[in-house]
Amino acid sequence: MRNHHTHSSSSFSLIIFLFLFFISFSFSTSKLEPAKPKRKHSVSAILVFGDSTVDPGNNNYIDTIFKCNFPPYGLDFKNKIPTGRFCNGRLVTDFIASYIGVKENVPPYLDPNLGVNELISGVSFASAGSGYDPLTPTITNVIDIPTQLEYFREYKRKLENIMGKQKMEKHIEEALFCVSAGTNDFVINYFTIPIRRKTFTIEAYQQFVISNLKQFIQGLWKEGARKITVAGIPPIGCLPIVITLFSGEALTNRRCIDRFATVATNYNFLLQKQLSLMQMSLAHLGSKIFYLDVYNPVYEVIHDPRKFGFEEVFSGCCGSGYLEAAFLCNPKSYVCPNTSAYVFFDSIHPSEKTYFSLFRSLRPIYDSILGCF
């Protein structure tokens, strides 16, 4: 397990760290509550792995500057608490947990105050800034994917102490596993730092990332996971920070950047193909692996915002909306008067309302998993 209490003090590293805040991706919505379905199959818990899209606050407990446990984050969360979610409210996984009936919000595994019931019904091991490429989390000094898997093994040992080995194994078999990462590998790592570009073409790097993801999914399966959902990456060329940094018309003509769109759609195609092959090879053993399309639902919101009740697409609610995220979006920052009018809360991460819209588009997948009728 890596030591998370080391960081570089060099000016170059500081510049890189500053930029990192401008490139991750997250989802959410709070006053909107998903209706509970009628279902044939029960889910015992929700267990989550990945990056800021699904990190409810694990980074609060490690030595990284990649945090957001301060206002205005959490502005629309219950009691306006800045939990460490990169959002004004809840994440997609919170809505999923509520929908499948296991809990209202998914807590971070590293929270030392977690009660037994909270632990049993599910946690997130995710860490904002992480990715499938082993190099990606070292840039931000966050929790890498193999360590998240190790934390899951530790979690299983805790459950075994509580309920015994046989019940624990049954509990894990009936749990829903959610995996969401990949954006940081491309935006922070490949397109920002030259190390990987010297070794990989973009096509080869996509295969490299998917190879690491495949290894992780196999690790989950070996540990008892049988219901696994894996999210693709969103339209990264439409993130406000990406438009600001990579567009030649960032101030005069803000719009999605096509070359990033191509990278994302090609990666998602390859990922979907790989997951289908894994599902075919494991189906006879009782495994279900589902690909989650997040690209098209978010793209639709961005390109037809008024249909979904949004007004502002290419800038975030916090600050200027062009650059601010993490510590640059802070208690002194300007905050828009109506968060629900914005697709993005900061320059990287969607607002809660966008996350709820995404959840609704993914709901048929979860209905399939639950055997809803």
Side-chain angles (χ1 to χ4, degrees):
M1 201 174 297
R2 296 191 307 108
N3 182 359
H4 303 299
H5 300 281
T6 61
H7 58 83
S8 172
S9 60
S10 70
S11 58
F12 174 76
S13 295
L14 180 58
I15 291 169
I16 293 298
F17 281 136
L18 286 173
F19 179 73
L20 301 172
F21 291 105
F22 309 149
I23 303 130
S24 171
F25 201 84
S26 190
F27 304 163
S28 168
T29 305
S30 175
K31 299 171 182 78
L32 304 170
E33 289 295 333
K36 304 297 188 294
K38 295 180 180 179
R39 54 184 182 258
K40 296 178 182 177
H41 310 298
S42 63
V43 173
S44 60
I46 183 169
L47 298 166
V48 184
F49 304 81
D51 59 17
S52 65
T53 55
V54 289
D55 178 6
N58 281 308
N59 280 15
N60 298 349
Y61 306 100
I62 64 174
D63 187 14
T64 177
I65 56 173
F66 208 68
K67 301 181 183 187
C68 63
N69 54 341
F70 43 78
Y73 290 102
L75 179 65
D76 298 310
F77 200 80
K78 185 178 180 181
N79 299 324
K80 298 186 182 297
I81 297 173
T83 59
R85 289 167 171 82
F86 279 84
C87 187
N88 58 304
R90 298 166 77 190
L91 306 176
V92 162
T93 38
D94 296 318
F95 293 117
I96 293 168
S98 178
Y99 184 66
I100 65 178
V102 293
K103 63 204 314 168
E104 290 307 302
N105 298 304
V106 184
Y109 175 68
L110 295 184
D111 182 350
N113 299 313
L114 277 186
V116 171
N117 289 337
E118 280 278 55
L119 198 67
I120 289 173
S121 56
V123 294
S124 174
F125 304 92
S127 178
S130 198
Y132 301 121
D133 181 347
L135 178 62
T136 303
T138 68
I139 299 166
T140 49
N141 198 43
V142 297
I143 306 168
D144 59 32
I145 296 294
T147 300
Q148 292 181 32
L149 182 59
E150 186 56 43
Y151 281 148
F152 172 54
R153 294 188 183 105
E154 180 181 85
Y155 169 86
K156 287 176 60 183
R157 291 192 291 271
K158 289 180 179 180
L159 256 59
E160 185 175 343
N161 290 335
I162 295 169
M163 60 179 67
K165 185 177 177 62
Q166 190 172 354
K167 286 186 178 180
M168 177 274 290
E169 290 176 346
K170 181 70 171 174
H171 189 79
I172 296 302
E173 184 180 324
E174 294 179 348
L176 174 65
F177 288 74
C178 302
V179 181
S180 177
T183 296
N184 299 320
D185 293 316
F186 293 97
V187 188
I188 293 181
N189 191 341
Y190 190 84
F191 288 112
T192 304
I193 299 169
I195 296 173
R196 292 307 194 201
R197 291 200 306 275
K198 290 180 178 178
T199 310
F200 296 98
T201 63
I202 186 61
E203 293 80 11
Y205 187 69
Q206 288 168 334
Q207 295 287 1
F208 172 70
V209 170
I210 288 173
S211 174
N212 286 312
L213 168 56
K214 179 182 177 182
Q215 187 175 359
F216 173 64
I217 298 300
Q218 288 171 335
L220 285 178
W221 189 87
K222 287 178 183 176
E223 293 298 328
R226 292 299 178 265
K227 301 182 187 77
I228 306 171
T229 65
V230 183
I233 61 175
I236 55 179
C238 301
L239 303 183
I241 187 63
V242 172
I243 296 170
T244 300
L245 295 176
F246 293 97
S247 170
E249 303 174 297
L251 297 178
T252 58
N253 184 23
R254 293 182 68 80
R255 55 191 174 85
C256 299
I257 301 174
D258 291 342
R259 69 186 176 103
F260 285 95
T262 302
V263 169
T265 53
N266 288 348
Y267 169 82
N268 287 337
F269 174 78
L270 293 170
L271 173 60
Q272 191 170 8
K273 185 177 179 181
Q274 183 60 58
L275 293 176
S276 295
L277 291 172
M278 292 186 73
Q279 168 61 23
M280 284 191 288
S281 68
L282 295 173
H284 69 289
L285 299 172
S287 239
K288 293 182 179 179
I289 302 173
F290 299 85
Y291 168 75
L292 299 183
D293 174 17
V294 301
Y295 185 100
N296 286 304
V298 175
Y299 185 85
E300 187 179 353
V301 167
I302 289 169
H303 286 270
D304 194 1
R306 297 197 182 280
K307 175 183 175 182
F308 298 90
F310 293 99
E311 297 174 14
E312 181 54 53
V313 175
F314 296 123
S315 65
C317 168
C318 184
S320 69
Y322 290 1
L323 291 170
E324 293 85 353
F327 72 84
L328 295 179
C329 174
N330 57 59
K332 294 183 179 180
S333 300
Y334 166 81
V335 181
C336 67
N338 181 13
T339 55
S340 65
Y342 281 69
V343 174
F344 294 93
F345 180 65
D346 63 18
S347 65
I348 306 164
H349 304 97
S351 65
E352 183 182 62
K353 183 177 174 181
T354 306
Y355 275 128
F356 189 73
S357 176
L358 177 61
F359 157 74
R360 286 189 299 184
S361 72
L362 298 175
R363 192 163 56 192
I365 302 258
Y366 294 100
D367 288 343
S368 173
I369 294 170
L370 295 167
C372 295
F373 55 93

